[in-house]
Amino acid sequence: MSFMQPSPVKYACSCGIVNPINKLFFCRHCPKLRCGYCVSHEVESHFCSNCLENIPSSEARHKKNCCANCFDCPCCHHTLSARATTVPVVRKTEEPKDGESAGAATPPPASSKPSAVPTTKKMYYLSCLSCRWTTRDVGIPDQGVATGTWPDNECLYQARFNTLMEYYQSVVLQEKQEKQEFQRRKAPKAHKFPSLTDRTGLTVSLIRRQIGWSEKNVPKTKPLNITPAEAISELEDLPQDIFTQPINLRNITTVAQRHSQPADQPTAVGNLYPQRRSLWIKRSLRCRQCEHNLIKPEYHPTSIKYRIQLFASYHVPEVVMVRLEHPLEAGQSNAILLKLSNPTMYDMTISILDEKPTEEPQINPDEFQATCKIKEEAVTSSPLMKVAALARQTLTKEVTREVRDVANAKIKLLESEFVLNQRDDSKEFDEEVQAQTEEPNFIVWRKGNKVLLRLQFTPAAELEVNDVVTLGFFMQYTYVNTVSNTAEKKEPTTHTLSSRLFIDAGRIEKGN
Amino acid sequence: MPAESDIKIMPKSVVCEESTLNGDITISSGCVVHPSATIIAEAPIVLGENCIVEEYATIAHRLKDGAASDASNTLHIGANNVFEVGCTVEAARIGDKNVFESKCFVGSGVTVSSGCVVGAGIQLRTAQVLPENTIVYGRQALQREAIEKQGSQTLQIDFLRKVLPNYHHLRKPNYDPKKARSVV
Ligand SMILES: [Zn+2]
Ligand SMILES: [Zn+2]
Ligand SMILES: [Zn+2]
Ligand SMILES: [Zn+2]
């Protein structure tokens, strides 16, 4: 399978979107094909892609989804790396450009120290390997340790931001309290007899206030007062020299640079500061119908493996287009060679159909989901899972759309069904001793779990030169499911499933 | 085409025998020319002190129509320049302390002053002048100005000077400026 070229063979997902097999998943519980569009995406873990540190989601939220130690270049958005320089301590100023850089970091020159023995100290600055931007460019002093001590650039409006944030947090809190209060009042009293306060409409707190006692329960959080923003009608005039001075574009930031520093959006390159690197996430995918995980990555950021990986190519027979027998001509019968391979450990019986086979009766969806849920809890009950489950919103139900039939060729159906042998990795190394059994004549070649199939078709007669010929058919296959949805049944069940396939066979080469 | 004998290598420079040197080339002391580096001098080239020319780097001084191929049309390359792996530099003038990163291309209309960095893979083909401390970087070949010149490559040169003779045949220095002056 080539990942660089788009595959000509596409499978219709159960939601109706057509995808190559390597973009599809297979829910063993439903059992149906799923694609990225019809599963729910959940954040599994946060990590920094540079230092590969795993960061718990609460901490990630606290740190505004940024890594504490890694920085991006404000100039070209590449990762900054720490560079070490050795600085002699006896020297008065470490950099000639300004005193403030040296003042804080290097201890004052000790005249008692013999200058013949120059003690050196390692100092660090951050540097971009791509555009050679350094923290010295904007006058950030070198630091004695490589990580952890880099100053955050506080923008001009930071205080205002903080008060606004506090204000809105208290607004949220207040609304929540009011809602609770409302629900408490609305809810029928647990007491057998109506209390005095119910009759009179007095509340406990009201009485307390009347008596002059202080509020017993938590005082209602009042949003603190903030000074509202004021609109200004008078604007400062532009400086006069803006019309006369030629601008130096090198000192002006680009739009991308401004957007990467959204708090102050500097216009001059001298105000670019290293930006904390955004965290990446590991994602898990969940079937929307049965709420089972389809993809669940390993927790650790350095691992690229999965704990659950239900990729379609592990469960659904893969169809690869090998070649056409003749150049495509409208209305002329032709044949296509398809290689099918069975990725599962069970034999599959495959037939090619031109219309959707009648589905086996589906299990009652509600009951099915209930059993699934119980199992889910039992299988994955890590604390992290629980958090994810709580945070999950109500899953939108699957909307099935019609698959648009784009096929424009007539398939000549196979005379019979055929068996695709199970995958057996050890067989790959065996000598070819397969006793040739009587094969149907549409099977060109067979080895192990692979079959080369000859499928005859006729492109529609009204096609013009350069039109794309698309073959469409249903592939029905038996699938042995090793997971069962009910707790008692343990032996694998066999399903007869079908997938709709579209094959982009190429373009008409000759007119008739 | 001038003969190989026009190549002047000053003492204390390391010029590998497998490098391709064509034309009237003067390599000043302290330079390191790696194997399979190419210098094409259709008109004379003078390489300044302590330059590094890495593998597959090409420095060319092409002859324009009607231009003289004698000493009046000499390309003087300044000191402490680095020509990284696979770069092609045909610039009209090159100052000091420049870095030409891997696989970059600098065309013949470009004037490179001092302290410039041409980023990896960047193609500069139109006639332009790079002011001092210009850094060309990124896919869109954006330019910015560095606050200071790039650090010198002394450590790297010292290392190469030690290591390269162990594995490669060197061209012998054949020109001593002091002696030459006394002769003339
Ligand atoms: Zn889908
Ligand atoms: Zn990090
Ligand atoms: Zn950068
Ligand atoms: Zn499912």
Side-chain angles (χ1 to χ4, degrees), chain A residues 141-183:
Chain A
D142 290 7
Q143 304 288 319
V145 280
T147 54
T149 56
W150 294 102
D152 265 325
N153 71 309
E154 293 260 312
C155 76
L156 204 58
Y157 313 108
Q158 195 67 48
R160 175 75 179 165
F161 272 130
N162 291 345
T163 44
L164 280 176
M165 204 161 74
E166 265 172 48
Y167 172 74
Y168 284 111
Q169 272 171 352
S170 66
V171 167
V172 169
L173 200 69
Q174 195 197 17
E175 276 176 2
K176 214 186 248 170
Q177 274 186 357
E178 278 173 3
K179 209 171 169 186
Q180 275 177 357
E181 188 90 337
F182 177 71
Q183 249 146 26

mmCIF file of all heavy atoms in Angstrom, chain A residues 141-183:
data_model
loop_
_atom_site.group_PDB
_atom_site.id
_atom_site.type_symbol
_atom_site.label_atom_id
_atom_site.label_comp_id
_atom_site.label_asym_id
_atom_site.label_seq_id
_atom_site.Cartn_x
_atom_site.Cartn_y
_atom_site.Cartn_z
ATOM 1 N N PRO A 141 18.379 39.081 29.474
ATOM 2 C CA PRO A 141 19.689 38.717 30.024
ATOM 3 C C PRO A 141 19.936 37.217 29.981
ATOM 4 O O PRO A 141 18.999 36.423 30.096
ATOM 5 C CB PRO A 141 19.605 39.226 31.472
ATOM 6 C CG PRO A 141 18.158 39.386 31.751
ATOM 7 C CD PRO A 141 17.517 39.732 30.467
ATOM 8 N N ASP A 142 21.173 36.847 29.809
ATOM 9 C CA ASP A 142 21.542 35.431 29.845
ATOM 10 C C ASP A 142 21.249 34.870 31.228
ATOM 11 O O ASP A 142 21.337 35.574 32.222
ATOM 12 C CB ASP A 142 23.030 35.271 29.538
ATOM 13 C CG ASP A 142 23.327 35.578 28.079
ATOM 14 O OD1 ASP A 142 22.404 36.021 27.392
ATOM 15 O OD2 ASP A 142 24.475 35.387 27.666
ATOM 16 N N GLN A 143 20.921 33.586 31.266
ATOM 17 C CA GLN A 143 20.536 32.971 32.527
ATOM 18 C C GLN A 143 21.588 31.968 32.963
ATOM 19 O O GLN A 143 22.281 31.376 32.149
ATOM 20 C CB GLN A 143 19.192 32.244 32.373
ATOM 21 C CG GLN A 143 18.072 33.125 31.879
ATOM 22 C CD GLN A 143 17.604 34.113 32.911
ATOM 23 O OE1 GLN A 143 17.488 33.796 34.081
ATOM 24 N NE2 GLN A 143 17.347 35.338 32.476
ATOM 25 N N GLY A 144 21.656 31.756 34.276
ATOM 26 C CA GLY A 144 22.631 30.824 34.810
ATOM 27 C C GLY A 144 22.242 29.368 34.629
ATOM 28 O O GLY A 144 23.084 28.493 34.616
ATOM 29 N N VAL A 145 20.953 29.090 34.478
ATOM 30 C CA VAL A 145 20.512 27.722 34.211
ATOM 31 C C VAL A 145 19.760 27.707 32.886
ATOM 32 O O VAL A 145 19.191 28.721 32.480
ATOM 33 C CB VAL A 145 19.606 27.169 35.333
ATOM 34 C CG1 VAL A 145 20.432 26.702 36.502
ATOM 35 C CG2 VAL A 145 18.605 28.200 35.767
ATOM 36 N N ALA A 146 19.784 26.543 32.244
ATOM 37 C CA ALA A 146 19.272 26.493 30.878
ATOM 38 C C ALA A 146 17.754 26.578 30.822
ATOM 39 O O ALA A 146 17.190 27.104 29.876
ATOM 40 C CB ALA A 146 19.739 25.211 30.205
ATOM 41 N N THR A 147 17.073 26.024 31.834
ATOM 42 C CA THR A 147 15.617 26.015 31.776
ATOM 43 C C THR A 147 15.040 26.558 33.070
ATOM 44 O O THR A 147 15.669 26.503 34.117
ATOM 45 C CB THR A 147 15.068 24.595 31.561
ATOM 46 O OG1 THR A 147 15.604 23.763 32.578
ATOM 47 C CG2 THR A 147 15.399 24.058 30.199
ATOM 48 N N GLY A 148 13.845 27.028 32.951
ATOM 49 C CA GLY A 148 13.086 27.343 34.162
ATOM 50 C C GLY A 148 13.103 28.795 34.583
ATOM 51 O O GLY A 148 12.164 29.247 35.218
ATOM 52 N N THR A 149 14.158 29.509 34.236
ATOM 53 C CA THR A 149 14.242 30.869 34.774
ATOM 54 C C THR A 149 13.938 31.933 33.735
ATOM 55 O O THR A 149 14.095 33.118 34.011
ATOM 56 C CB THR A 149 15.641 31.128 35.345
ATOM 57 O OG1 THR A 149 16.594 30.883 34.315
ATOM 58 C CG2 THR A 149 15.934 30.243 36.523
ATOM 59 N N TRP A 150 13.530 31.529 32.557
ATOM 60 C CA TRP A 150 13.292 32.536 31.532
ATOM 61 C C TRP A 150 12.086 33.378 31.891
ATOM 62 O O TRP A 150 11.055 32.851 32.281
ATOM 63 C CB TRP A 150 13.107 31.884 30.165
ATOM 64 C CG TRP A 150 14.375 31.243 29.752
ATOM 65 C CD1 TRP A 150 14.680 29.913 29.810
ATOM 66 C CD2 TRP A 150 15.550 31.899 29.276
ATOM 67 N NE1 TRP A 150 15.961 29.701 29.412
ATOM 68 C CE2 TRP A 150 16.524 30.901 29.071
ATOM 69 C CE3 TRP A 150 15.882 33.218 29.020
ATOM 70 C CZ2 TRP A 150 17.801 31.194 28.613
ATOM 71 C CZ3 TRP A 150 17.148 33.509 28.561
ATOM 72 C CH2 TRP A 150 18.096 32.509 28.355
ATOM 73 N N PRO A 151 12.219 34.678 31.808
ATOM 74 C CA PRO A 151 11.108 35.536 32.229
ATOM 75 C C PRO A 151 9.947 35.452 31.240
ATOM 76 O O PRO A 151 10.142 35.295 30.038
ATOM 77 C CB PRO A 151 11.718 36.930 32.229
ATOM 78 C CG PRO A 151 12.848 36.858 31.266
ATOM 79 C CD PRO A 151 13.366 35.456 31.322
ATOM 80 N N ASP A 152 8.759 35.493 31.794
ATOM 81 C CA ASP A 152 7.574 35.576 30.944
ATOM 82 C C ASP A 152 7.425 37.020 30.524
ATOM 83 O O ASP A 152 7.627 37.920 31.324
ATOM 84 C CB ASP A 152 6.338 35.161 31.748
ATOM 85 C CG ASP A 152 6.017 33.714 31.536
ATOM 86 O OD1 ASP A 152 6.229 33.239 30.415
ATOM 87 O OD2 ASP A 152 5.567 33.058 32.489
ATOM 88 N N ASN A 153 7.085 37.221 29.292
ATOM 89 C CA ASN A 153 6.886 38.622 28.962
ATOM 90 C C ASN A 153 5.478 39.029 29.344
ATOM 91 O O ASN A 153 4.482 38.488 28.884
ATOM 92 C CB ASN A 153 7.195 38.913 27.482
ATOM 93 C CG ASN A 153 6.178 38.354 26.558
ATOM 94 O OD1 ASN A 153 5.857 37.190 26.651
ATOM 95 N ND2 ASN A 153 5.662 39.175 25.663
ATOM 96 N N GLU A 154 5.422 39.915 30.289
ATOM 97 C CA GLU A 154 4.142 40.431 30.753
ATOM 98 C C GLU A 154 3.773 41.572 29.829
ATOM 99 O O GLU A 154 4.533 42.517 29.672
ATOM 100 C CB GLU A 154 4.289 40.951 32.177
ATOM 101 C CG GLU A 154 4.567 39.859 33.183
ATOM 102 C CD GLU A 154 3.319 39.445 33.935
ATOM 103 O OE1 GLU A 154 2.610 40.342 34.402
ATOM 104 O OE2 GLU A 154 3.054 38.246 34.009
ATOM 105 N N CYS A 155 2.617 41.464 29.235
ATOM 106 C CA CYS A 155 2.293 42.528 28.308
ATOM 107 C C CYS A 155 1.634 43.669 29.095
ATOM 108 O O CYS A 155 1.306 43.565 30.268
ATOM 109 C CB CYS A 155 1.390 42.032 27.200
ATOM 110 S SG CYS A 155 -0.284 41.806 27.711
ATOM 111 N N LEU A 156 1.453 44.742 28.380
ATOM 112 C CA LEU A 156 0.975 45.978 28.995
ATOM 113 C C LEU A 156 -0.391 45.796 29.650
ATOM 114 O O LEU A 156 -0.693 46.374 30.680
ATOM 115 C CB LEU A 156 0.883 47.027 27.887
ATOM 116 C CG LEU A 156 0.957 48.470 28.288
ATOM 117 C CD1 LEU A 156 2.259 48.740 29.017
ATOM 118 C CD2 LEU A 156 0.871 49.335 27.034
ATOM 119 N N TYR A 157 -1.207 44.946 29.055
ATOM 120 C CA TYR A 157 -2.587 44.824 29.514
ATOM 121 C C TYR A 157 -2.779 43.644 30.446
ATOM 122 O O TYR A 157 -3.904 43.235 30.699
ATOM 123 C CB TYR A 157 -3.525 44.669 28.313
ATOM 124 C CG TYR A 157 -3.260 45.650 27.224
ATOM 125 C CD1 TYR A 157 -2.679 45.259 26.044
ATOM 126 C CD2 TYR A 157 -3.592 46.997 27.395
ATOM 127 C CE1 TYR A 157 -2.424 46.175 25.043
ATOM 128 C CE2 TYR A 157 -3.333 47.909 26.405
ATOM 129 C CZ TYR A 157 -2.756 47.503 25.229
ATOM 130 O OH TYR A 157 -2.501 48.401 24.252
ATOM 131 N N GLN A 158 -1.688 43.085 30.938
ATOM 132 C CA GLN A 158 -1.800 41.871 31.728
ATOM 133 C C GLN A 158 -2.708 42.074 32.944
ATOM 134 O O GLN A 158 -3.567 41.242 33.226
ATOM 135 C CB GLN A 158 -0.413 41.423 32.171
ATOM 136 C CG GLN A 158 -0.363 40.001 32.682
ATOM 137 C CD GLN A 158 -0.631 38.998 31.573
ATOM 138 O OE1 GLN A 158 -0.047 39.093 30.496
ATOM 139 N NE2 GLN A 158 -1.516 38.064 31.804
ATOM 140 N N ALA A 159 -2.555 43.218 33.613
ATOM 141 C CA ALA A 159 -3.360 43.464 34.813
ATOM 142 C C ALA A 159 -4.843 43.531 34.454
ATOM 143 O O ALA A 159 -5.692 42.950 35.130
ATOM 144 C CB ALA A 159 -2.917 44.767 35.464
ATOM 145 N N ARG A 160 -5.119 44.186 33.362
ATOM 146 C CA ARG A 160 -6.494 44.301 32.908
ATOM 147 C C ARG A 160 -7.069 42.924 32.554
ATOM 148 O O ARG A 160 -8.186 42.583 32.930
ATOM 149 C CB ARG A 160 -6.524 45.228 31.684
ATOM 150 C CG ARG A 160 -7.853 45.362 31.005
ATOM 151 C CD ARG A 160 -8.811 46.224 31.785
ATOM 152 N NE ARG A 160 -10.085 46.346 31.098
ATOM 153 C CZ ARG A 160 -11.190 46.788 31.663
ATOM 154 N NH1 ARG A 160 -11.170 47.156 32.926
ATOM 155 N NH2 ARG A 160 -12.296 46.879 30.989
ATOM 156 N N PHE A 161 -6.248 42.128 31.887
ATOM 157 C CA PHE A 161 -6.673 40.771 31.546
ATOM 158 C C PHE A 161 -7.026 40.005 32.798
ATOM 159 O O PHE A 161 -8.049 39.325 32.871
ATOM 160 C CB PHE A 161 -5.559 40.026 30.810
ATOM 161 C CG PHE A 161 -5.589 40.218 29.339
ATOM 162 C CD1 PHE A 161 -4.451 40.591 28.652
ATOM 163 C CD2 PHE A 161 -6.748 39.999 28.613
ATOM 164 C CE1 PHE A 161 -4.474 40.774 27.294
ATOM 165 C CE2 PHE A 161 -6.772 40.180 27.251
ATOM 166 C CZ PHE A 161 -5.628 40.575 26.596
ATOM 167 N N ASN A 162 -6.152 40.126 33.794
ATOM 168 C CA ASN A 162 -6.356 39.367 35.017
ATOM 169 C C ASN A 162 -7.637 39.789 35.720
ATOM 170 O O ASN A 162 -8.414 38.936 36.165
ATOM 171 C CB ASN A 162 -5.160 39.538 35.952
ATOM 172 C CG ASN A 162 -3.933 38.850 35.390
ATOM 173 O OD1 ASN A 162 -4.039 38.034 34.471
ATOM 174 N ND2 ASN A 162 -2.777 39.188 35.922
ATOM 175 N N THR A 163 -7.903 41.107 35.803
ATOM 176 C CA THR A 163 -9.134 41.527 36.472
ATOM 177 C C THR A 163 -10.346 41.062 35.677
ATOM 178 O O THR A 163 -11.339 40.614 36.262
ATOM 179 C CB THR A 163 -9.202 43.055 36.637
ATOM 180 O OG1 THR A 163 -8.799 43.660 35.428
ATOM 181 C CG2 THR A 163 -8.330 43.537 37.772
ATOM 182 N N LEU A 164 -10.258 41.134 34.367
ATOM 183 C CA LEU A 164 -11.385 40.678 33.554
ATOM 184 C C LEU A 164 -11.639 39.200 33.790
ATOM 185 O O LEU A 164 -12.778 38.757 33.928
ATOM 186 C CB LEU A 164 -11.102 40.928 32.074
ATOM 187 C CG LEU A 164 -11.333 42.345 31.577
ATOM 188 C CD1 LEU A 164 -10.918 42.455 30.122
ATOM 189 C CD2 LEU A 164 -12.796 42.745 31.712
ATOM 190 N N MET A 165 -10.550 38.437 33.855
ATOM 191 C CA MET A 165 -10.708 37.008 34.034
ATOM 192 C C MET A 165 -11.330 36.724 35.397
ATOM 193 O O MET A 165 -12.260 35.920 35.503
ATOM 194 C CB MET A 165 -9.364 36.323 33.907
ATOM 195 C CG MET A 165 -9.476 34.880 33.504
ATOM 196 S SD MET A 165 -7.934 34.285 32.860
ATOM 197 C CE MET A 165 -6.988 34.147 34.344
ATOM 198 N N GLU A 166 -10.833 37.406 36.415
ATOM 199 C CA GLU A 166 -11.394 37.220 37.748
ATOM 200 C C GLU A 166 -12.876 37.561 37.754
ATOM 201 O O GLU A 166 -13.697 36.844 38.319
ATOM 202 C CB GLU A 166 -10.676 38.137 38.747
ATOM 203 C CG GLU A 166 -9.535 37.467 39.482
ATOM 204 C CD GLU A 166 -8.746 38.467 40.295
ATOM 205 O OE1 GLU A 166 -9.389 39.258 41.022
ATOM 206 O OE2 GLU A 166 -7.512 38.469 40.180
ATOM 207 N N TYR A 167 -13.193 38.662 37.107
ATOM 208 C CA TYR A 167 -14.579 39.107 37.069
ATOM 209 C C TYR A 167 -15.476 38.047 36.452
ATOM 210 O O TYR A 167 -16.491 37.641 37.022
ATOM 211 C CB TYR A 167 -14.677 40.409 36.276
ATOM 212 C CG TYR A 167 -16.093 40.851 36.021
ATOM 213 C CD1 TYR A 167 -16.860 41.386 37.050
ATOM 214 C CD2 TYR A 167 -16.659 40.734 34.759
ATOM 215 C CE1 TYR A 167 -18.156 41.781 36.830
ATOM 216 C CE2 TYR A 167 -17.958 41.127 34.527
ATOM 217 C CZ TYR A 167 -18.711 41.656 35.559
ATOM 218 O OH TYR A 167 -19.992 42.039 35.346
ATOM 219 N N TYR A 168 -15.063 37.541 35.306
ATOM 220 C CA TYR A 168 -15.939 36.588 34.638
ATOM 221 C C TYR A 168 -15.985 35.259 35.365
ATOM 222 O O TYR A 168 -17.004 34.570 35.339
ATOM 223 C CB TYR A 168 -15.526 36.432 33.176
ATOM 224 C CG TYR A 168 -15.971 37.621 32.372
ATOM 225 C CD1 TYR A 168 -15.064 38.521 31.853
ATOM 226 C CD2 TYR A 168 -17.327 37.862 32.175
ATOM 227 C CE1 TYR A 168 -15.483 39.630 31.152
ATOM 228 C CE2 TYR A 168 -17.756 38.967 31.484
ATOM 229 C CZ TYR A 168 -16.835 39.843 30.963
ATOM 230 O OH TYR A 168 -17.270 40.939 30.282
ATOM 231 N N GLN A 169 -14.886 34.915 36.037
ATOM 232 C CA GLN A 169 -14.940 33.696 36.847
ATOM 233 C C GLN A 169 -15.956 33.848 37.970
ATOM 234 O O GLN A 169 -16.730 32.923 38.244
ATOM 235 C CB GLN A 169 -13.559 33.398 37.420
ATOM 236 C CG GLN A 169 -12.722 32.550 36.474
ATOM 237 C CD GLN A 169 -11.290 32.428 36.923
ATOM 238 O OE1 GLN A 169 -10.872 33.099 37.860
ATOM 239 N NE2 GLN A 169 -10.543 31.588 36.242
ATOM 240 N N SER A 170 -15.992 35.027 38.577
ATOM 241 C CA SER A 170 -16.959 35.208 39.654
ATOM 242 C C SER A 170 -18.373 35.268 39.109
ATOM 243 O O SER A 170 -19.317 34.826 39.758
ATOM 244 C CB SER A 170 -16.629 36.461 40.468
ATOM 245 O OG SER A 170 -16.808 37.607 39.676
ATOM 246 N N VAL A 171 -18.527 35.792 37.904
ATOM 247 C CA VAL A 171 -19.851 35.792 37.286
ATOM 248 C C VAL A 171 -20.335 34.362 37.084
ATOM 249 O O VAL A 171 -21.478 34.012 37.407
ATOM 250 C CB VAL A 171 -19.823 36.558 35.944
ATOM 251 C CG1 VAL A 171 -21.090 36.290 35.156
ATOM 252 C CG2 VAL A 171 -19.664 38.043 36.175
ATOM 253 N N VAL A 172 -19.433 33.530 36.604
ATOM 254 C CA VAL A 172 -19.790 32.130 36.393
ATOM 255 C C VAL A 172 -20.178 31.478 37.709
ATOM 256 O O VAL A 172 -21.182 30.767 37.806
ATOM 257 C CB VAL A 172 -18.609 31.386 35.725
ATOM 258 C CG1 VAL A 172 -18.841 29.877 35.747
ATOM 259 C CG2 VAL A 172 -18.422 31.857 34.305
ATOM 260 N N LEU A 173 -19.374 31.763 38.733
ATOM 261 C CA LEU A 173 -19.624 31.179 40.049
ATOM 262 C C LEU A 173 -20.983 31.614 40.575
ATOM 263 O O LEU A 173 -21.761 30.815 41.091
ATOM 264 C CB LEU A 173 -18.512 31.616 41.000
ATOM 265 C CG LEU A 173 -18.325 30.761 42.241
ATOM 266 C CD1 LEU A 173 -17.783 29.397 41.846
ATOM 267 C CD2 LEU A 173 -17.391 31.450 43.216
ATOM 268 N N GLN A 174 -21.273 32.886 40.390
ATOM 269 C CA GLN A 174 -22.534 33.413 40.881
ATOM 270 C C GLN A 174 -23.707 32.755 40.168
ATOM 271 O O GLN A 174 -24.691 32.348 40.797
ATOM 272 C CB GLN A 174 -22.569 34.920 40.657
ATOM 273 C CG GLN A 174 -23.656 35.613 41.451
ATOM 274 C CD GLN A 174 -23.943 36.991 40.917
ATOM 275 O OE1 GLN A 174 -23.579 37.310 39.794
ATOM 276 N NE2 GLN A 174 -24.587 37.806 41.720
ATOM 277 N N GLU A 175 -23.578 32.633 38.882
ATOM 278 C CA GLU A 175 -24.667 32.011 38.128
ATOM 279 C C GLU A 175 -24.883 30.578 38.576
ATOM 280 O O GLU A 175 -26.011 30.109 38.694
ATOM 281 C CB GLU A 175 -24.342 32.062 36.629
ATOM 282 C CG GLU A 175 -24.739 33.392 36.029
ATOM 283 C CD GLU A 175 -24.337 33.513 34.583
ATOM 284 O OE1 GLU A 175 -23.773 32.546 34.035
ATOM 285 O OE2 GLU A 175 -24.584 34.585 34.000
ATOM 286 N N LYS A 176 -23.787 29.903 38.844
ATOM 287 C CA LYS A 176 -23.889 28.522 39.282
ATOM 288 C C LYS A 176 -24.613 28.451 40.624
ATOM 289 O O LYS A 176 -25.490 27.612 40.822
ATOM 290 C CB LYS A 176 -22.480 27.950 39.404
ATOM 291 C CG LYS A 176 -22.404 26.467 39.033
ATOM 292 C CD LYS A 176 -21.021 25.933 39.305
ATOM 293 C CE LYS A 176 -20.284 25.588 38.048
ATOM 294 N NZ LYS A 176 -18.872 25.286 38.305
ATOM 295 N N GLN A 177 -24.240 29.359 41.514
ATOM 296 C CA GLN A 177 -24.868 29.377 42.835
ATOM 297 C C GLN A 177 -26.356 29.658 42.728
ATOM 298 O O GLN A 177 -27.176 29.005 43.364
ATOM 299 C CB GLN A 177 -24.217 30.454 43.702
ATOM 300 C CG GLN A 177 -22.984 29.956 44.418
ATOM 301 C CD GLN A 177 -22.440 30.989 45.373
ATOM 302 O OE1 GLN A 177 -22.968 32.101 45.453
ATOM 303 N NE2 GLN A 177 -21.387 30.634 46.073
ATOM 304 N N GLU A 178 -26.684 30.623 41.885
ATOM 305 C CA GLU A 178 -28.097 30.973 41.734
ATOM 306 C C GLU A 178 -28.892 29.801 41.190
ATOM 307 O O GLU A 178 -30.017 29.538 41.600
ATOM 308 C CB GLU A 178 -28.229 32.180 40.808
ATOM 309 C CG GLU A 178 -27.980 33.486 41.545
ATOM 310 C CD GLU A 178 -27.952 34.668 40.613
ATOM 311 O OE1 GLU A 178 -28.185 34.472 39.402
ATOM 312 O OE2 GLU A 178 -27.678 35.780 41.091
ATOM 313 N N LYS A 179 -28.277 29.078 40.300
ATOM 314 C CA LYS A 179 -28.948 27.939 39.703
ATOM 315 C C LYS A 179 -29.194 26.872 40.759
ATOM 316 O O LYS A 179 -30.282 26.290 40.845
ATOM 317 C CB LYS A 179 -28.069 27.373 38.587
ATOM 318 C CG LYS A 179 -28.834 26.709 37.463
ATOM 319 C CD LYS A 179 -27.856 26.420 36.354
ATOM 320 C CE LYS A 179 -28.444 25.526 35.302
ATOM 321 N NZ LYS A 179 -27.409 25.157 34.321
ATOM 322 N N GLN A 180 -28.189 26.651 41.583
ATOM 323 C CA GLN A 180 -28.320 25.658 42.647
ATOM 324 C C GLN A 180 -29.411 26.065 43.624
ATOM 325 O O GLN A 180 -30.249 25.245 44.015
ATOM 326 C CB GLN A 180 -26.995 25.521 43.389
ATOM 327 C CG GLN A 180 -26.046 24.544 42.719
ATOM 328 C CD GLN A 180 -24.711 24.492 43.428
ATOM 329 O OE1 GLN A 180 -24.487 25.228 44.375
ATOM 330 N NE2 GLN A 180 -23.835 23.632 42.939
ATOM 331 N N GLU A 181 -29.371 27.334 43.955
ATOM 332 C CA GLU A 181 -30.364 27.882 44.873
ATOM 333 C C GLU A 181 -31.769 27.657 44.338
ATOM 334 O O GLU A 181 -32.670 27.194 45.025
ATOM 335 C CB GLU A 181 -30.107 29.384 45.041
ATOM 336 C CG GLU A 181 -30.934 30.036 46.092
ATOM 337 C CD GLU A 181 -30.250 29.994 47.444
ATOM 338 O OE1 GLU A 181 -29.380 29.114 47.651
ATOM 339 O OE2 GLU A 181 -30.580 30.810 48.276
ATOM 340 N N PHE A 182 -31.887 27.957 43.067
ATOM 341 C CA PHE A 182 -33.185 27.826 42.408
ATOM 342 C C PHE A 182 -33.652 26.384 42.455
ATOM 343 O O PHE A 182 -34.809 26.097 42.771
ATOM 344 C CB PHE A 182 -33.043 28.320 40.968
ATOM 345 C CG PHE A 182 -34.286 28.172 40.159
ATOM 346 C CD1 PHE A 182 -35.385 28.989 40.408
ATOM 347 C CD2 PHE A 182 -34.362 27.227 39.144
ATOM 348 C CE1 PHE A 182 -36.532 28.858 39.661
ATOM 349 C CE2 PHE A 182 -35.513 27.099 38.394
ATOM 350 C CZ PHE A 182 -36.595 27.909 38.652
ATOM 351 N N GLN A 183 -32.726 25.469 42.175
ATOM 352 C CA GLN A 183 -33.105 24.069 42.155
ATOM 353 C C GLN A 183 -33.468 23.586 43.562
ATOM 354 O O GLN A 183 -34.357 22.761 43.732
ATOM 355 C CB GLN A 183 -31.966 23.228 41.587
ATOM 356 C CG GLN A 183 -32.337 22.662 40.225
ATOM 357 C CD GLN A 183 -31.155 22.571 39.306
ATOM 358 O OE1 GLN A 183 -30.030 22.466 39.767
ATOM 359 N NE2 GLN A 183 -31.408 22.636 38.015
#
